[in-house]
Amino acid sequence: MVEHAVTDPRPLAAVLVSAVTVALIIASYRHPNVREGWSVLAALSKFAIVASMLPGVMDGTVYQWRLSEATGYTFVSGIDFTLRADPLGLFFALLASFLWIFTSFYAAGYMRGLDEHAQTRFFAAFAASLSTAVGIAFAGNLVTIFVFYELLSLVTYPLVAHNEDDEARVAGRKYLFYTFFGGGVLLLAGTVLVYWLTSGVGEPTLAFESGGMSALADAAAADPAMAQAAFYLLIAGFGVKAAVMPLHSWLADAMVAPTPVSGLLHAVAVVKSGAFGVARVILEVYGPETIRDLPLSVPGVGEVGLNIPVAIMAAFTLTAASIIAMRKDHLKRRLAYSTTAQLSYIVLGLSLLHPWTIFGALFHIPAHAFGKLTLFFCAGAIHVETHTDYISEMAGIGKRMPLTLSAFTIGAAGMAGMPLVAGFVSKFYMLIGSVRLEGSEWIYLDGWGWLFAATLLLSGVLNIAYFWPIVYTAFFEREDRHDAKPLVEFPIGGQFRSYTGRVADPIQPDGGRNHEVDAGAGGLEGEGETDTETDGHANHAVDANPSDADVPFGAGTRRGPRGEPVPIDSDDHAHHGGPPADGWARHTPLTESTWLMLVPITVIATGAVVLGVIPDYAIFLELAGTIVKNVTGEVVLG
């Protein structure tokens, strides 16, 4: 498809609509309904503006706005501040603006349900976050995307540190250090190197081009070592927000934020901006052919593509993060490590360079967004209605929140790549593309394609392993009789017998604390087995050896001031975690929570199914096919 650019203010309008809304939200701080109405109105307006450009973009039109044309001012010497709505940018902007509509309703229900403080600041920062996210989507060059990339880190800091306690402040500082200083410095260094490289072969440029910058391809041929360095700096800079190991630890700590923020971080804006940035670098800064023509010489191995180290890191991340997720009892932290793994699917598919893996990786962006946003929405609803955050306390909760846990099951199935849900479609294309790598021009060594395909299959099994126990305990176990959670509590390779209640190893996994336990509370005296049915589930290893920093005692109790179990009230909203003393009250889907939370959960979960059942009718599939065709020239969709 031949693209032709036209000047149009709509990319700028899409960025500004939520930026202007920040002022309106702050001005309406005395009127909560008006304040949240502005947020919803801005979400609808942003989506309408973005969607209005879809027909033209599908026909090959690129809408752009340049600062120099509008004001006569050049942002950086030789580099213009450009907003550009091309297929890849519209792909991300359409997703973010659509999901923001339902996140706005959900956030209102969540913040009101918990009577959170500083709600005006929260909604103002939330609107600013979406403004910068769309700015990243429509950025026309590396300088523009760098500006919005750094702004996104700044405006999301108040959201991460919203609780204003020590834990939130530490998490916020860590988030800024990683994403603003770490990722920003790496990205800026890579941008400067690309500018310097292209200036050596003609007019310096940082503008994105489908298939890669032609000037950079010429510069890479003249100075391959510097081109390789710039590539890895850019990938690392965007890889920080994409949470690729070892740059991932900020993401789990950021789970101290309110759940709508977690959804924003994981599904709508922040981590997706990192994955989107990796896509820009691979598809429109370097391009698959330039990356293929810049092989690395590895002693003892020979030549490997410039992309292979990135693919190896992504494969390692999606496997390791899945194993770590199995050790998490805190639901949001398990979901956080799931996000780390799922984002690496996107990075892996892009880095393999095959048209089919690229196509699968691009479609996994909305597939993961719909599925993971569903999961976080469900986690937030559980927290608001029952104050329960730990999986080990969720036995039987399915009867208390049937709709929420049913939607959670759909989201989990999508993350595991089960048929009829969006995740299956994206992972299918990545798997087939990995197999097709063997003997193709996109890989140097035999066997690599099969290795990456095996990694994808293994990760799918691990996804089932850490999601199924949540679904099982919610629907098929009783409050007073259920298995220990999490699934894995011991250091990998250890001999700790998790399900017998034995305390056989003083090593505490994942920051847990060693508690003195007697025989009646899960300990061991002599050689006899403990009676694991004495008090429901207080004998489980998850209580004696918590895999997270603060696992409560279990059903019907909470931790007292000296660590002792204290009975809790029977009212769902009066206690702090786990079922009330008399068990979960049975609710219908219409009474389990407020409509402000249930409607977004239902719509987003339905969207995940629609993307999986009839993907041909989903515009994201067609957009992904257009992007792949523009970049590689190959038609993936017939």
Side-chain angles (χ1 to χ4, degrees):
M1 180 188 297
V2 178
E3 296 181 345
H4 60 280
V6 298
T7 300
D8 194 291
R10 280 180 288 180
L12 177 64
V15 174
L16 291 182
V17 64
S18 46
V20 172
T21 304
V22 172
L24 297 174
I25 289 173
I26 294 172
S28 306
Y29 72 97
R30 293 183 183 274
H31 308 283
N33 289 337
V34 176
R35 176 190 64 203
E36 288 149 28
W38 286 125
S39 183
V40 173
L41 181 61
L44 293 169
S45 301
K46 183 185 289 288
F47 177 71
I49 293 170
V50 172
S52 70
M53 293 183 279
L54 181 59
V57 169
M58 296 303 295
D59 289 336
T61 302
V62 174
Y63 300 100
Q64 65 181 19
W65 179 88
R66 296 178 182 274
L67 181 65
S68 61
E69 293 179 359
T71 66
Y73 174 75
T74 302
F75 187 65
V76 178
S77 179
I79 305 296
D80 204 356
F81 186 88
T82 305
L83 296 174
R84 186 171 183 266
D86 58 4
L88 183 56
L90 193 73
F91 186 90
F92 182 37
L94 194 66
L95 175 67
S97 60
F98 177 77
L99 294 179
W100 187 33
I101 297 172
F102 301 98
T103 306
S104 298
F105 285 103
Y106 180 88
Y110 183 93
M111 301 300 281
R112 291 184 180 190
L114 294 178
D115 194 23
E116 285 279 0
H117 73 290
Q119 292 190 27
T120 298
R121 183 187 68 195
F122 173 89
F123 284 104
F126 213 79
S129 300
L130 268 295
S131 181
T132 53
V134 173
I136 289 172
F138 287 154
N141 55 54
L142 283 171
V143 169
T144 307
I145 202 172
F146 169 77
V147 170
F148 283 112
Y149 191 77
E150 294 291 79
L151 285 175
L152 181 61
S153 298
L154 290 176
V155 299
T156 49
Y157 170 78
L159 298 173
V160 174
H162 176 81
N163 290 339
E164 298 184 35
D165 55 17
D166 290 341
E167 186 181 11
R169 292 188 182 98
V170 169
R173 287 194 293 268
K174 187 174 186 178
Y175 171 73
L176 270 188
F177 176 78
Y178 270 80
T179 63
F180 184 78
F181 296 105
V185 168
L186 292 169
L187 180 56
L188 181 61
T191 299
V192 170
L193 270 182
V194 171
Y195 183 88
W196 178 78
L197 283 166
T198 56
S199 67
V201 295
E203 190 72 20
T205 181
L206 295 172
F208 301 134
E209 301 176 29
S210 291
M213 302 176 186
S214 55
L216 182 58
D218 296 337
D223 194 344
M226 293 301 291
Q228 291 169 350
F231 175 79
Y232 287 124
L233 284 170
L234 291 173
I235 292 294
F238 286 117
V240 172
K241 275 196 172 73
V244 176
M245 289 182 174
L247 307 172
H248 69 289
S249 65
W250 65 269
L251 187 59
D253 289 345
M255 292 303 96
V256 300
T259 302
V261 178
S262 301
L264 175 78
L265 292 174
H266 287 254
V268 181
V270 178
V271 295
K272 286 298 187 303
S273 71
F276 174 79
V278 172
R280 281 290 195 196
V281 171
I282 291 177
L283 304 181
E284 297 187 348
V285 175
Y286 278 77
E289 291 188 2
T290 300
I291 295 172
R292 182 194 61 196
D293 294 338
L294 281 173
L296 294 171
S297 181
V298 179
V301 177
E303 286 191 340
V304 298
L306 191 64
N307 57 310
I308 294 300
V310 179
I312 291 174
M313 288 305 300
F316 171 78
T317 299
L318 67 90
T319 304
S322 297
I323 294 172
I324 295 173
M326 294 167 65
R327 302 176 62 209
K328 297 299 176 183
D329 188 47
H330 194 286
L331 179 58
K332 282 177 63 176
R333 291 185 72 88
R334 185 174 291 198
L335 295 180
Y337 280 99
S338 169
T339 295
T340 300
Q342 295 294 328
L343 288 171
S344 289
Y345 277 100
I346 300 169
V347 176
L348 176 60
L350 291 168
S351 62
L352 292 180
L353 304 182
H354 191 279
W356 283 47
T357 64
I358 294 172
F359 180 81
L362 291 173
F363 191 70
H364 198 61
I365 294 176
H368 173 260
F370 277 86
K372 189 52 61 70
L373 193 58
T374 298
L375 295 173
F376 273 108
F377 278 2
C378 294
I382 293 170
H383 176 76
V384 169
E385 298 300 329
T386 71
H387 304 289
T388 301
D389 298 314
Y390 293 91
I391 300 163
S392 57
E393 295 184 321
M394 292 183 182
I397 199 173
K399 67 182 179 183
R400 169 63 179 83
M401 306 189 73
L403 176 62
T404 299
L405 270 299
S406 296
F408 187 96
T409 303
I410 292 172
M415 294 301 93
M418 302 298 287
L420 305 181
V421 193
F424 171 78
V425 179
S426 57
K427 294 181 180 183
F428 172 81
Y429 278 102
M430 281 189 277
L431 183 63
I432 298 302
S434 299
V435 174
R436 287 192 170 193
L437 279 173
E438 291 301 312
S440 72
E441 60 181 331
W442 301 108
I443 201 161
Y444 284 83
L445 301 175
D446 292 336
W448 283 97
W450 290 107
L451 175 63
F452 291 125
T455 303
L456 290 170
L457 292 173
L458 173 62
S459 179
V461 174
L462 293 175
N463 271 263
I464 296 172
Y466 65 74
F467 274 125
W468 172 245
I470 304 172
V471 177
Y472 181 80
T473 198
F475 286 111
F476 303 110
E477 291 187 323
R478 296 192 331 224
E479 298 93 320
D480 59 345
R481 184 184 177 92
H482 61 90
D483 296 339
K485 302 290 184 299
L487 188 64
V488 175
E489 299 171 309
F490 50 87
I492 302 303
Q495 297 180 350
F496 182 49
R497 286 165 286 184
S498 168
Y499 294 96
T500 66
R502 291 174 178 265
V503 182
D505 192 337
I507 295 175
Q508 303 303 302
D510 195 34
R513 296 190 296 273
N514 191 10
H515 300 283
E516 290 186 13
V517 208
D518 59 23
L524 182 66
E525 288 190 5
E527 295 297 321
E529 294 276 355
T530 60
D531 181 5
T532 59
E533 299 182 14
T534 302
D535 68 343
H537 69 281
N539 294 341
H540 294 322
V542 69
D543 299 305
N545 295 278
S547 65
D548 290 293
D550 184 28
V551 177
F553 272 71
T557 62
R558 61 179 172 84
R559 197 182 301 279
R562 292 179 297 278
E564 76 281 9
V566 177
I568 55 177
D569 208 325
S570 62
D571 184 280
D572 284 352
H573 289 276
H575 75 279
H576 299 278
D582 55 352
W584 298 113
R586 189 176 296 277
H587 282 255
T588 69
L590 297 179
T591 63
E592 64 182 74
S593 185
T594 172
W595 71 270
L596 284 171
M597 302 180 76
L598 292 179
V599 170
I601 288 172
T602 304
V603 172
I604 301 303
T606 302
V609 175
V610 169
L611 287 175
V613 175
I614 49 173
D616 289 344
Y617 292 91
I619 191 60
F620 294 110
L621 198 74
E622 188 174 353
L623 269 172
T626 300
I627 295 165
V628 171
K629 183 179 179 182
N630 290 347
V631 170
T632 67
E634 183 167 327
V635 177
V636 177
L637 295 175

